[in-house]
Amino acid sequence: MEDDLEWIQKDEEPLIEEMRAILGPLDCPEDLAHDLSFCRFLRGHGKNPKEAAEYMQKAIDYRLELISRSPIKEVRDQLASAMEVDLNILPRARELLPCFPVRVIRGRSMNALPIIASVVRLTDFKTLEAYGDEARDDFLLAQLEQRWMVLHNLSKKQRRMVKYFEVRDMNGAAITTLLSEGANQLSKIKNILSVVQDFYPEMIHQVAVLNSTSSFSGLFNFVSPLLNERMQAKIKVRATGIPFEDIAGLMEARAIHSLADVSCGHLSWSHLLLPSGGNEFLSRWLRKGQKVEWTAILEDGPDVLLHSAFLPEDESTQEELAFIAEEKLFLRKAITSEFEAPAEGVYWLCVDNSSSWVNSKTITLDLRC
């Protein structure tokens, strides 16, 4: 998959020329007519220039009409040199962002790719329904144009085919409720998936589904029929209780901190109910020499695991300075721990109830730094 991030290769240049010959002169924006865009379609269609050209023509026709109308046009007008996704400029972002699970992660993946996360439990289908189909579609389609243009600008700057590393965080998501309450909206959003696949190819490098439970299969079965084989191969599912080492293998320290914040930053850690089979996260960004101290007490349930870890921002020091520990909390027996950061980096805590598929737990955790 790393080859897919390379700039246009010598053997691809004649195939792109063949595509250009099929399509003829193009009267469209630079980000659509650039060789890099041709290459995205080419790679997305197994380097078959005829098939790639067919889909690219459909995409150009669709997108030229799309970007000519308001509010999509106004969003694109702000993106000529954009290097980052800014969800706040999307149509009716103030009203719709709280309904949608999508969040920008600060930091990069281990391939130095930008990260977009969907924190599924933040979805509010009932409120989204009230805003109507047009508002939802404008928000989603403007976001696709924004993502495409940001990737195009980053790719030219870095001289490689930059894509997104996408996280689907299933932590705390009630899948059964989503499938019932959100059935109407999900069926309509499914249509957008085919648009992404056909008209915005090769924007995604990998999809990491984190904190998945057995019920995730219901949601995946709902959308998977629309995904081609290439897209399905990019999806990697990891269950709740994922070790910190695996998370650190996916993204850099700042991204780990950002993901914990967008996923769990809204939680109150006073008498927090931890569902059966679930886990919750907490993180702090520490400067070198800064101390963090926490006290945890299990208020309901026989026991629960508490994982802690530290990852320096400087990758060259991680093997020497990274820290991982595990404590088992027992009912009404408080534990206090202290840590001093040996370098700037992320301190991470996970209260882990993934091994208990029957009993929920209640915990209070007080973290000071």
Side-chain angles (χ1 to χ4, degrees):
M1 289 182 70
E2 300 312 304
D3 292 347
D4 289 345
L5 300 176
E6 293 180 350
W7 187 253
I8 302 163
Q9 300 298 291
K10 285 289 186 183
D11 66 321
E12 293 171 323
E13 292 175 357
L15 301 178
I16 290 173
E17 288 305 311
E18 185 175 342
M19 290 176 65
R20 287 194 178 278
I22 294 171
L23 293 177
L26 296 177
D27 182 16
C28 56
E30 186 264 356
D31 59 281
L32 290 176
H34 196 282
D35 277 359
L36 183 64
S37 299
F38 277 80
C39 193
R40 288 191 191 273
F41 279 90
L42 187 65
R43 291 181 186 177
H45 291 276
K47 297 194 177 182
N48 181 330
K50 291 182 179 179
E51 182 179 303
E54 178 186 349
Y55 275 85
M56 188 169 186
Q57 183 63 69
K58 293 177 182 177
I60 290 173
D61 293 343
Y62 171 85
R63 292 176 61 187
L64 284 179
E65 189 282 326
L66 176 69
I67 65 180
S68 68
R69 63 177 176 84
S70 181
I72 312 299
K73 182 181 184 300
E74 287 77 11
V75 171
R76 275 188 60 102
D77 288 346
Q78 301 178 60
L79 299 171
S81 59
M83 295 291 178
E84 293 183 348
V85 169
D86 180 3
L87 299 175
N88 293 301
I89 72 169
L90 297 177
R92 300 185 66 177
R94 180 173 296 181
E95 299 106 318
L96 293 174
L97 266 178
C99 307
F100 276 103
V102 63
R103 299 292 184 270
V104 176
I105 299 301
R106 303 303 171 191
R108 293 290 185 259
S109 75
M110 294 312 293
N111 305 98
L113 298 175
I115 305 175
I116 302 288
S118 291
V119 183
V120 177
R121 68 171 160 194
L122 300 181
T123 310
D124 183 352
F125 283 120
K126 289 183 178 179
T127 303
L128 182 59
E129 189 83 30
Y131 287 116
D133 293 349
E134 183 177 350
R136 179 204 60 234
D137 290 349
D138 284 346
F139 180 88
L140 291 173
L141 294 172
Q143 186 184 154
L144 290 178
E145 286 295 320
Q146 183 185 51
R147 291 193 191 194
W148 177 273
M149 292 188 70
V150 167
L151 286 184
H152 186 67
N153 294 336
L154 287 173
S155 297
K156 290 193 298 180
K157 181 180 180 180
Q158 298 180 21
R159 199 69 181 173
R160 64 173 182 153
M161 186 179 286
V162 179
K163 305 180 186 183
Y164 292 108
F165 180 85
E166 300 226 353
V167 174
R168 303 287 185 267
D169 184 10
M170 309 306 298
N171 192 40
I175 303 300
T176 304
T177 302
L178 285 174
L179 290 173
S180 58
E181 293 184 356
N184 183 45
Q185 288 297 318
L186 281 172
S187 65
K188 295 174 181 177
I189 291 172
K190 272 175 64 176
N191 297 330
I192 302 293
L193 293 178
S194 61
V195 170
V196 175
Q197 196 165 248
D198 292 345
F199 301 154
Y200 300 84
E202 297 302 301
M203 289 208 302
I204 298 173
H205 182 57
Q206 184 180 344
V207 179
V209 179
L210 303 183
N211 303 302
S212 171
T213 64
S214 58
S215 60
F216 169 72
S217 59
L219 183 60
F220 186 73
N221 291 338
F222 187 81
V223 299
S224 60
L226 292 175
L227 305 178
N228 60 33
E229 184 177 345
R230 182 173 175 84
M231 188 63 224
Q232 291 196 34
K234 297 181 180 185
I235 301 173
K236 307 298 181 185
V237 181
R238 295 168 174 83
T240 53
I242 178 175
F244 180 79
E245 300 96 309
D246 289 358
I247 297 175
L250 296 175
M251 61 191 77
E252 63 185 26
R254 283 200 179 272
I256 293 173
H257 175 53
S258 179
L259 179 61
D261 182 57
V262 300
S263 176
C264 304
H266 63 288
L267 297 177
S268 169
W269 286 85
S270 178
H271 314 298
L272 177 68
L273 180 65
L274 194 65
S276 57
N279 43 210
E280 298 292 1
F281 304 93
L282 183 65
S283 74
R284 291 291 184 271
W285 190 259
L286 302 179
R287 302 180 302 276
K288 181 178 181 179
Q290 188 175 3
K291 293 182 179 179
V292 61
E293 181 180 352
W294 54 261
T295 301
I297 184 167
L298 182 63
E299 299 166 327
D300 180 54
D303 58 61
V304 72
L305 289 175
L306 201 156
H307 309 282
S308 59
F310 175 78
L311 187 69
E313 180 177 35
D314 184 350
E315 293 181 19
S316 68
T317 66
Q318 288 179 357
E319 185 174 349
E320 176 188 0
L321 300 179
F323 163 84
I324 297 175
E326 179 182 289
E327 303 271 5
K328 179 174 278 192
L329 299 180
F330 294 98
L331 183 61
R332 289 188 289 276
K333 292 186 178 178
I335 290 181
T336 296
S337 183
E338 184 180 279
F339 178 80
E340 181 176 340
E344 187 169 9
V346 61
Y347 183 77
W348 175 91
L349 288 171
C350 170
V351 183
D352 181 5
N353 197 35
S354 61
S355 63
S356 176
W357 289 99
V358 178
N359 298 316
S360 61
K361 312 288 172 64
T362 302
I363 185 173
T364 288
L365 192 150
D366 178 32
L367 186 145
R368 305 168 294 280
C369 60

